[in-house]
Amino acid sequence: MTTLAAKSPFELRVGLGNLPEQSVREALASGEMGFLHSYTTGSTVDGPGVRVVAWTTGCQWRCRYCHNPDTWTVTNGIPVSVAQAADELRKYRAGLKAMSGGFTLSGGEPLMQHRFAVKLLGAAKGMGIHTTIETNGFWGSRLTDDDLESIALVMLGLKSWDPARHKDLTGQEIGPTLDFARRLAARKRPIWIRFVLVPGLTDDPEDMAGSARFAASLGNVERVEVLPFHQMGRFKWERLGLTYTLESVEPPTSEAIDKAVAVWRSAGLDAS
Ligand code: SF4
């Protein structure tokens, strides 16, 4: 039997939901139950300090470099109630506090299950646990201003500044993500930007500079993380029968990563 605890999010998981469609709809509408791909403990790369990370299923984007395409379908996840997830989280409360860490809800795209996300993040906050959400921001408008108060940090994926390139890379428009970033700025909610560096796709200096200027103009971006593209998710595309277009793309060299970081830094941002 598949358990929720995963050694890594690179485990392929499909068809675990096993619920009638009506039950899935009801779960999403109430938010009392959500669908999780997995969770891990002890992460040091998904927000400040040491973190428990839960990966939700469901994403409406189709990023060509996505390393977790098995999270795209909501019902690939395991149904979990807010109460169950909160109980599990409670076990780590003292340790997370001691390690200046917290809880991160990632995906997939967590705001595909925004009601569940809000309830779970609210429960974590209620336990005194620092909360982070990792999102593409497309459904940021689903969150009320009160909901935003339950989220101590938003890790926002910026994929490309050029609208046509963004559409080609993700299948979706960039506008809603930028609107969400502006709204977070207006409400002085902190953002960390995550940017995946893909040679030949996202490494155009002008394009990166556009994103960097936008991020710097917001005034609430505390940090930028340049993440090198890798091929670790490729096998999932193949196993799921999806067309993968980046077979011949190599991970960026350390020199290319340094150059990309320099572009973000030259806009005055704390990038690494
Ligand atoms: S937004 Fe994230 S989960 Fe969704 S397709 Fe893109 S990389 Fe994958």
Side-chain angles (χ1 to χ4, degrees):
M1 192 183 132
T2 308
T3 64
L4 259 180
K7 289 197 184 74
S8 109
F10 295 106
E11 286 179 25
L12 178 76
R13 297 186 169 205
V14 289
L16 303 175
N18 200 23
L19 281 181
E21 204 184 314
Q22 180 64 18
S23 307
V24 174
R25 268 204 298 270
E26 283 169 9
L28 293 176
S30 77
E32 289 303 333
M33 183 168 276
F35 295 82
L36 294 182
H37 173 278
S38 54
Y39 80 88
T40 58
T41 57
S43 167
T44 54
V45 295
D46 295 286
V50 176
R51 312 197 65 88
V52 170
V53 186
W55 282 275
T56 59
T57 45
C59 185
Q60 77 287 42
W61 287 20
R62 294 293 177 261
C63 299
R64 289 169 61 191
Y65 53 72
C66 183
H67 57 236
N68 284 324
D70 52 336
T71 64
W72 289 351
T73 305
V74 169
T75 50
N76 276 351
I78 298 175
V80 181
S81 71
V82 174
Q84 275 175 298
D87 281 349
E88 194 60 26
L89 201 49
R90 191 170 290 111
K91 295 180 194 165
Y92 300 98
R93 177 169 51 172
L96 292 174
K97 218 164 204 169
M99 292 181 286
S100 308
F103 171 59
T104 299
L105 194 61
S106 185
E109 169 45 55
L111 298 183
M112 287 288 282
Q113 305 183 42
H114 70 288
R115 293 194 173 93
F116 174 72
V118 164
K119 284 179 196 281
L120 184 52
L121 290 161
K125 188 183 178 203
M127 288 185 251
I129 297 173
H130 178 276
T131 54
T132 294
I133 190 166
E134 196 183 343
T135 175
N136 62 35
F138 191 83
W139 288 123
S141 60
R142 288 179 169 185
L143 298 176
T144 66
D145 290 345
D146 279 350
D147 294 341
L148 293 181
E149 298 301 316
S150 301
I151 306 170
L153 173 68
V154 174
M155 297 178 83
L156 185 67
L158 278 190
K159 316 284 183 178
S160 169
W161 184 244
D162 179 81
R165 186 174 287 137
H166 190 276
K167 189 85 197 275
D168 172 64
L169 268 177
T170 70
Q172 295 287 348
E173 307 292 341
I174 191 175
T177 299
L178 303 184
D179 288 346
F180 185 48
R182 291 186 190 102
R183 182 168 162 227
L184 291 167
R187 301 196 62 78
K188 302 200 177 350
R189 307 303 298 166
I191 293 178
W192 288 10
I193 298 285
R194 300 197 111 189
F195 172 76
V196 181
L197 184 66
V198 191
L201 277 182
T202 68
D203 59 349
D204 176 58
E206 271 312 300
D207 195 359
M208 287 190 284
S211 295
R213 279 193 298 271
F214 170 74
S217 74
L218 295 171
N220 62 333
V221 174
E222 296 181 344
R223 185 166 166 173
V224 178
E225 295 178 338
V226 175
L227 308 171
F229 164 75
H230 57 72
Q231 292 281 8
M232 285 168 75
R234 176 179 174 174
F235 82 99
K236 291 189 177 184
W237 288 73
E238 286 160 3
R239 293 267 296 278
L240 294 169
L242 299 166
T243 305
Y244 187 61
T245 56
L246 308 185
E247 297 95 341
S248 57
V249 177
E250 298 285 338
T253 60
S254 55
E255 195 190 11
I257 296 169
D258 289 347
K259 274 190 186 162
V261 168
V263 171
W264 289 87
R265 283 187 183 159
S266 67
L269 294 157
D270 177 6
S272 57

